[in-house]
Amino acid sequence: MSGQSFRIRDKGRIDRSKPVRFTFDGKSYEGFEGDTLASALIANGVHLIGRSFKYHRPRGILAAGSEEPNALIQLGGGNKSEPNLRATQIEIFDGLEAASQNRWPCLKFDVGAVNSVFHRLFPAGFYYKTFMWPASLWLKYEHVIRHAAGLGKAPPDRDPDRYEKVHAHADVLIVGGGPAGLAAALAAGKTGARVILADETADWGGSLLSESDCEIDGKEPARWVEESVAELEAMPEVTLVKRCTITGYYDHNYLTGLERVSDHLGAAPEHTPRQRLWKIRAKRVVLATGALERPLVFTDNDRPGVMLSSAVRTYVNRYGVLPGRKTVIFTNNDDAYRTALALEDAHGRVAAIVDVRTSVTGPLADAVRAKGITVYENHGIVSVQGTQKVTSVEVMQLDANGTGVTGTAKSVNCDLIAMSGGWNPTVHLFSQSKGKLTWDTEMAAFIPGTASQALASTGACNGTMGLADSLKEGLKLGAEAAREAGHKGRAPAAPKATEPEQGGLRPLWITPGKAKLGRKGKHFVDFQNDVTAADVQLAAREGYRSVEHLKRYTTTGMGTDQGKTSNVNALAILSDVLASDIPAVGTTTFRPPYTPATIGAYTGRNVGKLFEPVRKTRIDEWARANGAKFEHVGQWMRAWYFPKQGETFRQAIDREVKAVRDGCGILDASTLGKIDIQGPDAAEFLNRIYTNAWLKLGVGRCRYGLMLKEDGMVMDDGVTTCIGENHYHMTTTTGGAANVLSWLEEWHQTEWPDLKVFFSSVTEQWSVVAINGPKSRAVLQKLCEDVDFSAEAFPFMAMKEGTVAGIPARLYRISFTGELSFEINVPARYGLALWEALMEAGKEFDITPYGTETMHVLRAEKGFIIVGQETDGTVNPLDLGMDWIVSKKKPDFVGKRSLERESMASPDRKQLVGLLTEDPQTVLPEGGHVVEKLKPEPPMEMLGHVTSSYYSPNCGRSIAMALIKGGHARHGQTLHVPLEDKVVKVTVTEPRFFDLEGERIDG
Amino acid sequence: MKGSANGMRALRGGASRYSIFALARNALSYHENWQKAWRSPEPKPEYDVIIVGGGGHGLATAYYLASVHGIRNIAVVEKGWVGGGNTGRNTTIIRSNYLWDESAGIYEHALKLWEGMSQELNFNVMFSQRGVLTLAHSEHELKEMRRRVEAIRLNGIDSEVMSPAQIKQLVPIIDTNPGIRYPVMGGFIQRRGGTARHDAVAWGYARAADDLGVDIIQNCEVTGILRDGGKVTGIETNRGTIKAKKVGVVTAGHSGVVASMAGLNLPIDSRPLQALVSEPIKPCIDTVVMSNAVHMYISQSDKGELVFGAGVDSYNSYSQRGSIPTVEGLLAAAVELYPIVSRLRVLRTWGGIVDTCPDASPIISKTPVDGLYFNCGWGTGGFKATPGSGHVFADLIARDEPNAIAAPFSLKRFETGYLIDEHGAAGVAH
């Protein structure tokens, strides 16, 4: 075959001046700009495109749009490769490389087709009945099954392309740019409403582009489309988005769309994303999504060369290609007669029309007969010859009720079967919106019933099949939607439209074959998943009678086409077996997305560095320059420790820890959560949220507080300071900041709305530097002249405002180390300047920067807890030995009632203790578990676990804290920590190890 | 276990066995002679036990009541179709590597039952022990992991710590570059964990229970719970009154609603949990991999679809679907850890409603109403518990007394405070 020998000379909307070269399975072909991969392959006489999922049957092209179940290909190579794309939707570009999938070694000869030989062993759900013995072999069986399954392949590495998101609002969103959608957009647009019109394809006009036998206002339909689009483009409030599939319909008229911005170009131009995810909130939605043609279910209806009748017409009229030179039309309705006429018009021969209806009359039938085409009434196709392309069919007369055939078979040579089983309105989005579907007996299809959101359906998706009616309805509903969205205007007069008149259809859900169903040949219902009519009947026979059971048992409708061509046929066959009405059997739930949507588009720009951006302090830069190692804390990156040249982790930490206690250490504490609390009821609010008393805290005084959840367990802690009258500054843990703010808001908004109090996060507004150690006062005094630092004038747990290194600052005398300590808060942008000034001033005192690890060791020496380390949501203040912070006098606080429950007094509660290892050099691993009765091997009863464990250079030995059952009564006991490789003996102590009398706090 | 099939005997109730031989034999008759997997009987006027809810847990309960406790006059009533709730909507992950002893107890009990389920039920539920790997992405998570691994080990349950290099070898598509936002710093795997075919679990239990005489009544919605002087006497349904000596309720996603029919107020929050699958592709990941820091988990089904899940949506709802931001967050996390998924496509997204207790642990309990039992509150992780949950719930109903495994999950714990708080331990619950 040479060149585009199936190209029709004078038809189609392709640009013949722009040839495009592409390859399929390594072979080079030519098409034209405007072709899809499917139309270009048809132009070149290529019909074998892929292999089916289960039986590896040869498959061709069934449809011309997004409902295509068969013609799936792998597009491109390397990291831009993409599996499972539908050839019917790919716009070709120069250099396009496509390959068939799910075949080995090649498409024409596929070893997997051996499944077809053993097909009788593989009915629906066969795998539930076998592979059970011996049990140990299941993973081996499964390995084989897994490798046989799957379709295309994932690309090998990172996606080089970029994706964007659009957040849009519309008065009226119109989905689908066919006749009804365009009409709705015109009417809504004229009112001045903000309209978005989206269509899944590259061209406006929808079905109109496939028709050659109708007129609108005396013009070719394509002309009307052009004029309408031009009119819409001139409206400033109307946005037209092509190549944009509306994929999801969520609550409150929120819809998503996937726009393929540059896929059709091969490579995205600079500054252009590959795809965009649209997120649209619309006041009103008009669905004009058209209808999908149903296949007929007959013997071997899956052969390459069996195509939907409307798709044949699309290929002829829109793309100017002939899917076959000699066609048999198989139909249950008049629409397929239009295909016969279109083929004749394009010099394709129609060998016969096989119609299941008993008597066919009307203008279309007359026109066809006038052309000399044989019409077999009350007949069906009983067999299809040709494995890799149709070569002929056998036709027989149907019996009285259509369940069998009579007479003798007539053979008709052909290379194309164009079939039509009627139309299914595309109700997917309507159904996603939670609208209720109703069964239309005349159409034998589901149409929209009661809506549950602010939407309207128009045109074919509403069951309005005639062109004139669709235009009229579209205009009416478009104007209505705009009015409902607050605009004024009436629907313009509908244009005059003519098209061939059509009669009714005969729903015949299974075309009987020569043998009983399932005995010879296969009647496919779901092409992609290889589900046959016999499978559906088997499932029903075995009791899988609910639609969902049918779907899940047979996998019908579970393919990448989501059953667009199979659902209603499967349902009808099921209802037949159940002797029940189709609407009584019901439909499955349509789930988003309407067509598969790229994961990268949902991700948008939230990839790599922009995926949850790292939070850094103003001092981060200095820490990096000075060799700090970092750790992740919540979303923050914090300096972990500052090793000097050649130091190990342990050496660096020991040095830092000693330096703080001997002289002065400096820590970047900016990540602590900070919440500004104001209002006349601020103190009352704090009094209810914290466990201790807050009503009498004076201005300039700080207090440590513990917050509990309703269940009485510790949630967060921190120091809160009274800054002024009705004004507090709360600090939280680094990781807990956002949770605490939400917590405060939740209690305020839902439980205590009467309290006048306001919360603002100020974490980012302040840089915080903590200097700790006996020399810290001396360092600070060098930089701050307006504050009296004497212990009397500036006691522990006080706050003063002053000027540090010329920067206005709040100085908090609080301590997380037990040392004399100041936390200096300055406006965030001065953080680095403050840090550098302190480093300079501290030089003579050997000031030592330290990170989170040293902070942890220092506080552990003192027995201070870290929420999230000593607590895990199951620890109450009493467990921590912090009874002193739980007020006995307050009438209530969050968690108070829970603290009174029976279990809280249980002697078996896990309580915080210290652990000292028998060998002082052994450092226990955090997370190790403590047992009393050691057993040679697990299982053994655990008392609890090690929460914190370090080597303490100030104590000259290892120290650890642990939560263990009845810990407070176990002081002095010897217990064991069994590790994978050894057992460590430990003695239980107080959870405090250094400066037990608290003598160091004033320096 | 009493009456467990050893793989060769006939089903006890006389239903024909499934096997490769049965398939071959039926192929000769064009598969026209297969029996119904379960009957569709009309409800009888009275049963010894009614189980409300035909999901995996409810059907398993009925099966074990019949097979272990010899009670045969049982009905399972189901509002829709069996397995149509969370049983058919979850991401099918099975593991027992829990932190707390009580949780380890119930989930390990379940895991042991999973290991013989296909043979016991004579229905291939495709329980596939492909391993469940949990990742750690920070120093803090490594320490948390250590705690969990130690606890699991000392409970006698399998668990292995893995280095980033070992993880890369096991899961080649994972990005172990130390420079990414949440670098993979280690992980631990439970090799006995894995996945199963969720629908098959419901169908397998339904068929086996039906074989033992249990009536499975679909399209039967409970509208009231009948009581007489503090004792349950039956249920009111859209198909009439059905009397019962005992009623067990297992209606995940709707437990609070059913409880209110008996005047009970459960400590339960109902929220949507979403999941999604990609289009099927050739195998690229064999193990289930979970990550708390990036908040998602992934596996690949036998059909080739990548199965993704994350945390619950943040609002209460009974509508079985969630919101798009949850999906966006989940997929951003997926691309971060598995860059190759970016060009794959989402095939289907869906949601189920999960009932969660304040301590993120389930309720398996008697109630203040005599003869009325509740099994609920499994949150996001109920599927893996299916056989264990059914087994101990059947025991509770039969004996009117919880066994050692079920006892900690009593409703009473919300009064006494003996909570089993799995929040901190589970992170992304699953």
Side-chain angles (χ1 to χ4, degrees):
Chain A
M1 215 159 302
S2 70
Q4 303 181 43
S5 52
F6 289 83
R7 191 64 77 178
I8 303 164
R9 201 182 324 141
D10 51 359
K11 282 193 179 291
R13 297 166 56 82
I14 35 110
D15 187 344
R16 286 166 208 262
S17 68
K18 291 185 181 151
V20 173
R21 293 216 70 83
F22 67 96
T23 66
F24 176 64
D25 275 346
K27 200 171 163 201
S28 182
Y29 298 97
E30 190 182 271
F32 292 123
E33 197 172 294
D35 263 326
T36 62
L37 180 60
S39 69
L41 285 170
I42 292 171
N44 287 280
V46 179
H47 284 266
L48 175 62
I49 311 290
R51 290 274 176 171
S52 68
F53 192 81
K54 183 169 159 189
Y55 301 123
H56 288 250
R57 306 243 306 190
R59 290 285 164 79
I61 296 160
L62 180 79
S66 62
E67 73 272 35
E68 175 63 41
N70 287 334
L72 305 184
I73 59 103
Q74 181 105 24
L75 186 69
N79 289 334
K80 286 201 164 196
S81 174
E82 211 181 343
N84 307 344
L85 281 172
R86 291 172 290 274
T88 50
Q89 281 189 295
I90 301 166
E91 296 171 55
I92 59 166
F93 50 84
D94 241 343
L96 176 149
E97 290 172 27
S100 56
Q101 304 183 147
N102 202 31
R103 80 288 187 266
W104 184 86
C106 71
L107 188 54
K108 284 201 169 141
F109 178 75
D110 174 19
V111 167
V114 71
N115 286 357
S116 230
V117 178
F118 296 110
H119 68 97
R120 275 172 62 187
L121 281 178
F122 305 146
F126 74 96
Y127 30 75
Y128 300 124
K129 294 175 177 149
T130 183
F131 303 129
M132 284 180 282
W133 196 87
S136 57
L137 275 187
W138 166 243
L139 271 176
K140 299 240 165 23
Y141 294 133
E142 193 186 31
H143 181 82
V144 175
I145 293 170
R146 281 170 85 86
H147 281 80
L151 292 165
K153 293 189 184 108
D157 209 340
R158 197 170 291 276
D159 188 345
D161 282 324
R162 192 159 61 79
Y163 302 84
E164 296 282 1
K165 289 181 188 175
V166 185
H167 297 259
H169 290 262
D171 290 326
V172 184
L173 168 67
I174 297 156
V175 186
L182 286 170
L186 284 169
K190 278 184 179 152
T191 69
R194 189 152 41 145
V195 174
I196 297 175
L197 174 64
D199 191 89
E200 137 180 84
T201 69
D203 245 341
W204 300 106
S207 60
L208 289 176
L209 305 180
S210 303
E211 307 303 359
S212 55
D213 56 3
C214 51
E215 284 185 346
I216 302 175
D217 277 344
K219 287 174 281 203
E220 265 184 43
R223 267 298 291 287
W224 180 83
V225 171
E226 258 168 55
E227 288 169 11
S228 301
V229 170
E231 201 179 337
L232 288 167
E233 278 170 343
M235 296 178 185
E237 293 297 326
V238 174
T239 307
L240 300 169
V241 200
K242 286 197 288 195
R243 301 187 176 92
C244 180
T245 309
I246 299 299
T247 49
Y249 201 137
Y250 299 87
D251 291 335
H252 310 297
N253 264 13
Y254 190 60
L255 293 91
T256 53
L258 182 72
E259 183 190 1
R260 294 171 302 281
V261 183
S262 52
D263 279 353
H264 62 292
L265 302 172
E270 215 181 341
H271 309 305
T272 306
R274 177 183 171 225
Q275 296 178 345
R276 282 192 194 105
L277 182 75
W278 284 72
K279 302 202 279 181
I280 306 167
R281 184 80 69 184
K283 285 187 187 157
R284 289 291 180 278
V285 171
V286 177
L287 298 174
T289 47
L292 297 171
E293 197 168 22
R294 277 196 299 254
L296 286 167
V297 180
F298 59 96
T299 311
D300 294 332
N301 56 343
D302 67 322
R303 300 296 191 201
V306 181
M307 209 177 263
L308 290 171
S309 151
S310 61
V312 170
R313 212 148 78 224
T314 297
Y315 286 117
V316 168
N317 286 329
R318 181 165 175 177
Y319 298 106
V321 294
L322 209 51
R325 299 207 190 279
K326 198 170 174 196
T327 305
V328 168
I329 308 257
F330 186 26
T331 185
N332 68 1
N333 65 76
D334 275 355
D335 191 77
Y337 288 69
R338 296 171 79 180
T339 304
L341 294 170
L343 281 165
E344 286 282 330
D345 189 40
H347 312 292
R349 270 194 58 206
V350 176
I353 295 183
V354 183
D355 198 321
V356 300
R357 292 176 294 179
T358 45
S359 149
V360 185
T361 55
L364 276 165
D366 293 345
V368 159
R369 286 184 174 120
K371 296 247 179 212
I373 299 170
T374 313
V375 177
Y376 292 106
E377 291 170 335
N378 196 30
H379 271 65
I381 292 180
V382 294
S383 79
V384 177
Q385 278 70 49
T387 308
Q388 300 203 345
K389 179 80 202 274
V390 172
T391 54
S392 69
V393 296
E394 283 184 303
V395 180
M396 284 177 82
Q397 191 176 338
L398 300 172
D399 68 11
N401 46 19
T403 55
V405 285
T406 60
T408 53
K410 294 168 274 281
S411 180
V412 184
N413 288 335
C414 62
D415 60 355
L416 177 70
I417 301 170
M419 63 178 164
S420 179
W423 296 85
N424 289 329
T426 310
V427 292
H428 301 64
L429 291 174
F430 177 82
S431 170
Q432 280 186 33
S433 79
K434 299 248 158 177
K436 293 261 176 301
L437 299 173
T438 57
W439 181 255
D440 182 311
T441 313
E442 205 174 306
M443 278 189 83
F446 284 104
I447 59 169
T450 318
S452 72
Q453 297 205 42
L455 67 82
S457 296
T458 177
C461 80
N462 194 35
T464 308
M465 297 305 287
L467 178 57
D469 290 345
S470 284
L471 291 167
K472 198 171 151 196
E473 187 184 60
L475 289 165
K476 177 174 161 274
L477 294 178
E480 236 169 67
R483 278 201 304 275
E484 283 161 0
H487 293 266
K488 289 196 176 71
R490 294 177 167 284
K496 194 171 158 9
T498 58
E499 66 180 334
E501 193 189 314
Q502 294 193 28
L505 60 67
R506 177 191 182 188
L508 184 68
W509 301 107
I510 297 176
T511 306
K514 285 191 279 191
K516 211 173 152 191
L517 193 72
R519 302 212 169 183
K520 198 160 192 296
K522 289 193 177 301
H523 287 62
F524 283 96
V525 174
D526 183 309
F527 294 95
Q528 190 178 109
N529 278 350
D530 280 338
V531 180
T532 65
D535 286 329
V536 174
Q537 292 187 344
L538 170 66
R541 215 160 34 232
E542 289 195 89
Y544 299 93
R545 306 160 72 105
S546 129
V547 189
E548 286 291 337
H549 282 162
L550 171 76
K551 180 177 111 180
R552 289 153 182 265
Y553 191 66
T554 63
T555 74
T556 188
M558 304 286 277
T560 65
D561 56 322
Q562 297 199 29
K564 290 190 178 66
T565 53
S566 63
N567 276 340
V568 173
N569 279 340
L571 207 61
I573 293 168
L574 174 67
S575 71
D576 211 35
V577 180
L578 302 181
S580 171
D581 285 347
I582 292 172
V585 173
T587 62
T588 64
T589 314
F590 290 102
R591 287 165 167 164
Y594 172 66
T595 54
T598 315
I599 286 175
Y602 288 95
T603 305
R605 299 297 291 272
N606 296 344
V607 289
K609 292 256 180 278
L610 296 178
F611 171 71
E612 294 193 10
V614 174
R615 295 175 78 180
K616 293 175 180 171
T617 73
R618 306 298 177 118
I619 299 152
D620 179 88
E621 191 187 318
W622 187 95
R624 264 168 223 285
N626 285 272
K629 300 285 181 205
F630 287 82
E631 71 164 333
H632 292 265
V633 182
Q635 293 166 320
W636 292 92
M637 199 62 107
R638 292 195 74 177
W640 187 13
Y641 63 106
F642 291 81
K644 288 189 167 167
Q645 187 104 45
E647 267 183 345
T648 62
F649 174 77
R650 172 76 179 274
Q651 286 166 340
I653 303 303
D654 285 359
R655 173 181 52 75
E656 290 177 10
V657 168
K658 280 201 81 64
V660 175
R661 298 242 184 258
D662 295 347
C664 181
I666 178 168
L667 171 79
D668 177 3
S670 306
T671 63
L672 275 187
K674 296 176 274 295
I675 300 169
D676 190 80
I677 302 174
Q678 299 193 40
D681 293 322
E684 175 60 25
F685 187 89
L686 292 172
N687 209 45
R688 296 185 191 180
I689 280 287
Y690 280 130
T691 59
N692 49 348
W694 286 83
L695 295 179
K696 290 182 184 148
L697 187 67
V699 174
R701 303 298 298 192
C702 319
R703 186 161 289 169
Y704 174 76
L706 212 51
M707 275 178 214
L708 309 184
K709 295 184 297 176
E710 297 103 318
D711 63 3
M713 303 304 168
V714 173
M715 170 189 161
D716 207 86
D717 69 346
V719 170
T720 294
T721 304
C722 182
I723 299 289
E725 203 188 339
N726 301 331
H727 187 187
Y728 295 81
H729 177 83
M730 175 186 276
T731 62
T732 74
T733 58
T734 294
N739 278 344
V740 170
L741 183 61
S742 306
W743 181 250
L744 304 183
E745 289 288 1
E746 185 181 334
W747 281 94
H748 182 221
Q749 291 177 30
T750 65
E751 301 294 329
W752 309 320
D754 52 312
L755 295 188
K756 285 199 174 60
V757 59
F758 304 90
F759 315 97
S760 318
S761 168
V762 291
T763 303
E764 307 265 353
Q765 275 61 41
W766 296 96
S767 283
V768 181
V769 179
I771 58 170
N772 278 275
K775 305 276 173 59
S776 53
R777 183 183 284 124
V779 176
L780 203 47
Q781 269 169 335
K782 283 177 69 182
L783 295 173
C784 177
E785 288 166 358
D786 53 358
V787 172
D788 179 351
F789 283 95
S790 68
E792 302 74 46
F794 196 168
F796 181 52
M797 299 306 270
M799 186 279 295
K800 283 184 182 298
E801 299 196 1
T803 311
V804 181
I807 307 163
R810 286 179 187 163
L811 292 88
Y812 297 82
R813 219 199 116 187
I814 54 181
S815 178
F816 196 36
T817 58
E819 298 295 320
L820 173 66
S821 166
F822 298 90
E823 288 190 7
I824 308 153
N825 285 232
V826 296
R829 63 187 182 281
Y830 295 118
L832 184 56
L834 172 70
W835 179 274
E836 285 177 333
L838 285 165
M839 285 302 295
E840 184 58 34
K843 237 181 206 164
E844 61 175 296
F845 306 101
D846 208 12
I847 193 168
T848 302
Y850 66 93
T852 49
E853 185 69 16
T854 291
M855 175 181 87
H856 287 174
V857 178
L858 289 165
R859 65 86 207 180
E861 288 178 339
K862 286 290 294 177
F864 297 153
I865 62 154
I866 288 183
V867 169
Q869 191 159 340
E870 270 64 55
T871 71
D872 59 6
T874 68
V875 180
N876 71 32
L878 316 178
D879 301 334
L880 295 169
M882 293 171 77
D883 318 37
W884 53 270
I885 203 171
V886 183
S887 166
K888 311 270 183 310
K889 293 186 195 139
K890 288 204 293 187
D892 202 6
F893 57 85
V894 176
K896 181 178 167 74
R897 200 178 125 222
S898 291
L899 287 180
E900 289 157 7
R901 291 185 293 189
E902 170 193 326
S903 64
M904 300 296 167
S906 162
D908 240 12
R909 286 197 66 79
K910 288 183 181 168
Q911 295 163 332
L912 189 68
V913 297
L915 295 181
L916 294 176
T917 52
E918 189 175 41
D919 168 12
Q921 295 305 313
T922 302
V923 180
L924 288 165
E926 287 173 2
H929 281 69
V930 183
V931 304
E932 187 170 19
K933 296 182 196 96
L934 203 57
K935 288 188 189 164
E937 60 185 44
M940 53 188 118
E941 197 193 338
M942 294 168 264
L943 293 178
H945 76 288
V946 179
T947 59
S948 292
S949 173
Y950 311 94
Y951 182 79
S952 160
N954 294 307
C955 299
R957 60 156 300 131
S958 69
I959 57 172
M961 292 195 269
L963 283 166
I964 62 173
K965 282 183 190 166
H968 291 163
R970 288 183 187 268
H971 290 186
Q973 282 188 12
T974 301
L975 301 173
H976 308 276
V977 179
L979 302 171
E980 202 137 19
D981 51 348
K982 62 179 175 190
V983 176
V984 182
K985 212 183 229 185
V986 295
T987 307
V988 181
T989 67
E990 279 280 326
R992 290 185 294 142
F993 308 95
F994 185 75
D995 181 32
L996 300 181
E997 303 306 317
E999 288 156 350
R1000 303 178 63 89
I1001 196 74
D1002 284 325
Chain B
M1 185 173 310
K2 201 170 96 185
S4 84
N6 66 6
M8 294 302 286
R9 299 208 319 257
L11 286 194
R12 276 196 280 165
S16 65
R17 290 185 54 80
Y18 290 161
S19 69
I20 184 71
F21 309 108
L23 265 175
R25 207 165 46 244
N26 276 283
L28 298 177
S29 54
Y30 302 93
H31 301 288
E32 285 167 6
N33 297 323
W34 287 106
Q35 296 174 348
K36 277 199 169 39
W38 58 87
R39 299 161 296 130
S40 298
E42 282 302 312
K44 293 188 231 165
E46 181 167 9
Y47 290 93
D48 290 341
V49 181
I50 291 177
I51 302 298
V52 181
H57 290 234
L59 293 163
T61 304
Y63 169 73
Y64 292 116
L65 274 170
S67 68
V68 178
H69 303 280
I71 302 170
R72 298 299 168 94
N73 188 25
I74 303 170
V76 176
V77 297
E78 164 57 44
K79 174 169 74 168
W81 34 280
V82 302
N86 292 345
T87 299
R89 291 165 189 268
N90 71 89
T91 50
T92 81
I93 296 169
I94 294 162
R95 62 182 176 87
S96 68
N97 53 0
Y98 274 70
L99 174 67
W100 302 116
D101 298 350
E102 297 86 347
S103 311
I106 180 88
Y107 290 108
E108 178 62 16
H109 181 57
L111 183 49
K112 291 204 172 103
L113 290 169
W114 278 112
E115 284 172 331
M117 192 191 290
S118 291
Q119 288 70 34
E120 159 129 19
L121 301 181
N122 179 235
F123 201 100
N124 189 356
V125 299
M126 304 186 194
F127 175 49
S128 176
Q129 294 181 294
R130 50 189 59 260
V132 175
L133 170 67
T134 306
L135 301 175
H137 299 276
S138 67
E139 288 297 325
H140 182 71
E141 281 201 325
L142 281 175
K143 288 176 181 174
E144 286 290 315
M145 174 177 98
R146 179 87 193 211
R147 178 186 176 194
R148 241 173 97 181
V149 167
E150 290 290 335
I152 294 159
R153 185 175 63 82
L154 291 174
N155 266 322
I157 295 170
D158 71 304
S159 175
E160 266 172 63
V161 173
M162 296 186 85
S163 68
Q166 289 169 313
I167 290 169
K168 182 75 185 174
Q169 198 173 9
L170 183 71
V171 188
I173 64 167
I174 202 165
D175 187 352
T176 47
N177 179 343
I180 64 171
R181 177 65 180 90
Y182 293 108
V184 175
M185 295 177 68
F188 69 102
I189 187 167
Q190 181 175 29
R191 300 223 184 245
R192 286 165 63 234
T195 56
R197 175 88 183 98
H198 53 14
D199 295 325
V201 175
W203 301 338
Y205 273 119
R207 173 168 168 267
D210 174 273
D211 175 62
L212 295 176
V214 173
D215 282 356
I216 295 164
I217 304 162
Q218 302 185 88
N219 300 310
C220 180
E221 181 170 2
V222 173
T223 53
I225 293 177
L226 302 173
R227 287 153 290 157
D228 183 10
K231 187 175 178 351
V232 82
T233 56
I235 55 171
E236 201 68 67
T237 76
N238 60 348
R239 291 167 70 171
T241 303
I242 313 175
K243 295 222 148 121
K245 298 187 179 73
K246 293 178 175 181
V247 174
V249 180
V250 208
T251 54
H254 239 61
S255 310
V257 178
V258 181
S260 69
M261 295 176 190
L264 304 175
N265 193 2
L266 296 180
I268 271 189
D269 240 0
S270 299
R271 291 196 277 173
L273 174 68
Q274 298 192 71
L276 59 95
V277 292
S278 75
E279 292 185 329
I281 50 167
K282 291 291 175 192
C284 69
I285 180 166
D286 283 336
T287 311
V288 180
V289 190
M290 316 185 17
S291 165
N292 292 340
V294 303
H295 222 70
M296 59 88 54
Y297 45 88
I298 185 172
S299 66
Q300 187 168 19
S301 74
D302 283 354
K303 212 180 156 201
E305 298 153 333
L306 295 179
V307 183
F308 298 94
V312 291
D313 274 54
S314 45
Y315 53 88
N316 294 111
S317 170
Y318 287 120
S319 159
Q320 288 173 314
R321 62 171 175 180
S323 63
I324 199 80
T326 306
V327 170
E328 291 176 284
L330 153 63
L331 290 175
V335 171
E336 169 72 3
L337 270 184
Y338 311 95
I340 67 153
V341 306
S342 174
R343 288 181 94 82
L344 303 180
R345 284 182 300 273
V346 175
L347 173 56
R348 259 194 319 277
T349 67
W350 67 91
I353 299 302
V354 296
D355 289 342
T356 309
C357 294
D359 61 354
S361 285
I363 295 167
I364 308 169
S365 184
K366 297 167 74 166
T367 66
V369 179
D370 234 16
L372 178 66
Y373 310 87
F374 265 79
N375 181 348
C376 60
W378 291 91
T380 61
F383 178 71
K384 69 174 83 68
T386 305
S389 158
H391 195 256
V392 301
F393 195 45
D395 193 72
L396 170 66
I397 294 170
R399 301 192 304 117
D400 194 39
E401 205 53 58
N403 63 21
I405 296 174
F409 299 99
S410 147
L411 259 173
K412 278 234 162 49
R413 74 178 190 273
F414 300 102
E415 288 163 33
T416 61
Y418 287 108
L419 303 179
I420 306 155
D421 194 313
E422 283 289 349
H423 284 292
V428 173
H430 230 288

